[in-house]
């Protein structure tokens, strides 16, 4: 999901139990480099690296759709569900848990957020 504040940051939820925040990518060199074989790059390209990696259990099992993290409206936080029927608010700058929201009325795993 793209950050709603227009900064060009990208939030990804991955199967390796990691949420990643990517900054705008700046390619150095002449840009003529291209991927010729899987895993091999020619001159002029640079591997992209995320600005922040947040460990989070993204495995939902067989019967629940995968988690999908979203940005908080001000793009200063990340919201993602958990298998404990909680919503986690994480700081987008540090990745630390700000608050875990839960309710006895939440009877399902919150895998998707609107």
């Amino acid at each position: 999901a793209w950050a709603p504040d227009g900064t060009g940051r990208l939030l990804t939820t991955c199967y390796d139990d990691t949420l990643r925040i990517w900054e705008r990518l700046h390619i150095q060199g002449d840009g003529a480099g291209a991927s010729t074989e899987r895993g091999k790059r020619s001159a002029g390209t640079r591997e992209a690296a995320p600005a922040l990696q947040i460990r989070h259990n993204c495995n939902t099992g067989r019967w629940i759709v995968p988690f999908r993290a979203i940005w908080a409206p001000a793009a200063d936080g990340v919201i993602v569900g958990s298998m404990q029927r909680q919503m986690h608010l994480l700081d987008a700058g540090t990745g630390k848990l700000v608050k875990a929201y839960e309710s006895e009325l939440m009877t399902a795993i919150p895998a998707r957020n609107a």
Side-chain angles (χ1 to χ4, degrees):
W2 294 102
D5 62 357
T7 58
R9 293 179 296 165
L10 179 65
L11 170 64
T12 60
T13 308
C14 304
Y15 284 113
D16 65 352
D17 291 338
T18 307
L19 307 176
R20 291 181 175 87
I21 296 177
W22 304 81
E23 300 286 340
R24 289 186 184 188
L25 300 177
H26 299 284
I27 304 297
Q28 295 180 348
D30 61 8
S35 178
T36 54
E37 291 181 41
R38 186 176 212 157
K40 294 184 178 180
R41 302 246 178 231
S42 60
T45 63
R46 185 176 77 178
E47 292 291 325
L52 181 64
Q53 297 187 64
I54 304 167
R55 297 294 300 161
H56 184 272
N57 181 4
C58 298
N59 294 306
T60 56
R62 184 174 179 176
W63 305 109
I64 302 171
V65 295
F67 288 119
R68 182 179 298 161
I70 62 169
W71 290 98
D76 57 350
V78 172
I79 301 167
V80 65
S82 79
M83 290 299 288
Q84 290 77 35
R85 292 186 173 90
Q86 297 175 341
M87 295 298 299
H88 291 173
L89 173 61
L90 307 166
D91 185 286
T94 64
K96 295 188 184 214
L97 179 67
V98 175
K99 177 92 174 144
Y101 296 95
E102 60 184 322
S103 169
E104 68 231 13
L105 301 175
M106 190 180 303
T107 60
I109 302 297
R112 296 285 195 250
N113 306 295

